[in-house]
Amino acid sequence: MCDWGTLPDGRTAKLITLSNDRLRVNVLSFGAAIQSVHLDDIPHSLTPGFDHLAPYQTGKGANGCIVGPVANRIGGAQAMIDGQLTHFDANEAGRTTRHSGSAGTHLQPWRPTMVAKNYAELQLPLPDGQGGFPGNRTLIAAFILTEATLSLRLSATTDRTTLINLANHSYWNLGGAPTYAGHRLQINADHYLPTHDNLPTGEIAPVAGKPFDFRTPRDLTPGTDAVLDHNFCLSNTRRPVTDIATLTGPSGLSMTMATTEPGLQVYDGANFPGAPYAGLALEAQSWPDAPNHPNFPSILLTPDDIYTQETRWSFRQL
């Protein structure tokens, strides 16, 4: 672990390097971000990261970070919690809360609490009312390397009923080219959420016959495919870790993603900071705008419960 820049309040951001015989992964304490992933002797990172702190501080792209306490969008920047209408930071055209607004966990320094050769744990306390979200909450992110697999385990507790929907916001480019052109994507989802003005309409639509059908692997052509910024419905509830998607690069290097989460947000990276389509974002999470759609899996967390999520990325060269 080494210093990696100074924050405006004088605190130091840390760079943590994890490694084993197959993987080398850099994690930042700021935003708990996956900054780079190197496999075997491949010369380039499999995730496009920034090489200095400033771009992470802007929050643009939330590149590699843990996004929360509620990832994705909340329509109207408000939701009912324990029978009370609760308002949040309206940071997207004044009408939605995107990635929790100014209270987003991707904009905050996490504290490393345990670091070993192939394991790192970071913690972030969130005070009651920050960004409008109730509860004194504690978030923990643990990164683990096992052979050619990177695992992320997230947990959260609260002392008041609140909303929790955490997501890792990494972009992936397995080929090392300026864009992910030539990649193939497969997603184990029969349904997706149609959107209007970036928000789910409430319909849970079949992917069959639509540009969102990735049940069979499909080639990706950035900028010419249907715009991708949608939630794919993997299940109706959190479940044991299950393979959900496979991304394959032009050389045959593949990444299989597995998660406990009921949703996968896929974003085509059209607005990747400074480099459109530099990577494809695959974000395991619960469904967006869930508090405003009773038919979506709930993201409420009570003081009696513990939120847990596990996501794994396994790499293989064909």
Side-chain angles (χ1 to χ4, degrees):
M1 182 167 63
C2 64
D3 293 348
W4 207 70
T6 303
L7 301 171
D9 63 4
R11 285 182 288 180
T12 301
K14 302 292 185 181
L15 177 72
I16 303 164
T17 299
L18 308 178
S19 64
N20 62 14
D21 291 340
R22 301 291 311 280
L23 284 173
R24 186 175 79 255
V25 176
N26 283 336
V27 175
L28 303 178
S29 62
F30 189 84
I34 298 173
Q35 187 263 346
S36 66
V37 176
H38 284 87
L39 175 70
D40 296 331
D41 57 355
I42 295 173
H44 58 83
S45 174
L46 307 183
T47 181
F50 302 120
D51 59 6
H52 57 288
L53 182 59
Y56 291 96
Q57 292 178 278
T58 67
K60 293 181 179 178
N63 192 7
C65 296
I66 305 299
V67 178
V70 177
N72 219 307
R73 293 169 171 89
I74 301 175
Q78 62 184 24
M80 295 295 294
I81 303 177
D82 258 0
Q84 180 175 349
L85 184 62
T86 307
H87 298 273
F88 314 109
D89 182 10
N91 67 324
E92 189 177 45
R95 53 181 189 80
T96 63
T97 298
R98 179 178 175 273
H99 293 336
S100 300
S102 58
T105 58
H106 61 297
L107 299 170
Q108 302 189 49
W110 296 55
R111 181 172 64 90
T113 55
M114 187 180 302
V115 176
K117 181 176 174 60
N118 61 356
Y119 179 91
E121 184 173 293
L122 297 89
Q123 187 174 117
L124 178 65
L126 300 175
D128 183 31
Q130 185 181 57
F133 295 95
N136 293 294
R137 296 142 293 156
T138 299
L139 310 185
I140 296 175
F143 299 86
I144 309 104
L145 302 188
T146 308
E147 297 181 345
T149 296
L150 167 62
S151 300
L152 171 63
R153 296 173 185 164
L154 301 172
S155 66
T157 56
T158 182
D159 62 2
R160 291 180 59 194
T161 299
T162 192
L163 303 176
I164 294 287
N165 182 19
L166 303 179
N168 170 267
H169 202 296
S170 288
Y171 295 81
W172 299 99
N173 181 334
L174 307 182
T179 75
Y180 56 85
H183 284 57
R184 292 172 66 82
L185 178 64
Q186 182 264 332
I187 304 173
N188 301 327
D190 295 327
H191 295 82
Y192 79 106
L193 299 182
T195 62
H196 177 70
D197 288 340
N198 294 322
L199 285 169
T201 62
E203 179 188 5
I204 303 171
V207 298
K210 299 184 177 69
F212 306 101
D213 190 349
F214 288 91
R215 292 173 296 178
T216 301
R218 281 177 43 197
D219 292 336
L220 297 173
T221 307
T224 60
D225 295 315
V227 173
L228 268 178
D229 193 4
H230 294 77
N231 177 80
F232 288 78
C233 305
L234 308 171
S235 63
N236 293 318
T237 186
R238 192 165 286 118
R239 57 183 176 170
V241 178
T242 304
D243 288 350
I244 60 163
T246 298
L247 182 68
T248 304
S251 69
L253 173 62
S254 71
M255 179 187 78
T256 295
M257 189 172 178
T259 190
T260 54
E261 298 308 280
L264 177 69
Q265 185 79 13
V266 179
Y267 170 52
D268 62 18
N271 294 315
F272 187 96
Y277 306 111
L280 180 73
L282 301 171
E283 310 159 49
Q285 58 187 265
S286 199
W287 302 4
D289 200 25
N292 295 310
H293 297 278
N295 57 326
F296 289 5
S298 174
I299 62 170
L300 282 173
L301 179 68
T302 69
D304 297 328
D305 295 328
I306 299 175
Y307 168 96
T308 58
Q309 178 197 140
E310 182 168 357
T311 297
R312 300 173 187 166
W313 300 270
S314 298
F315 303 93
R316 183 166 66 97
Q317 296 195 66
L318 301 180

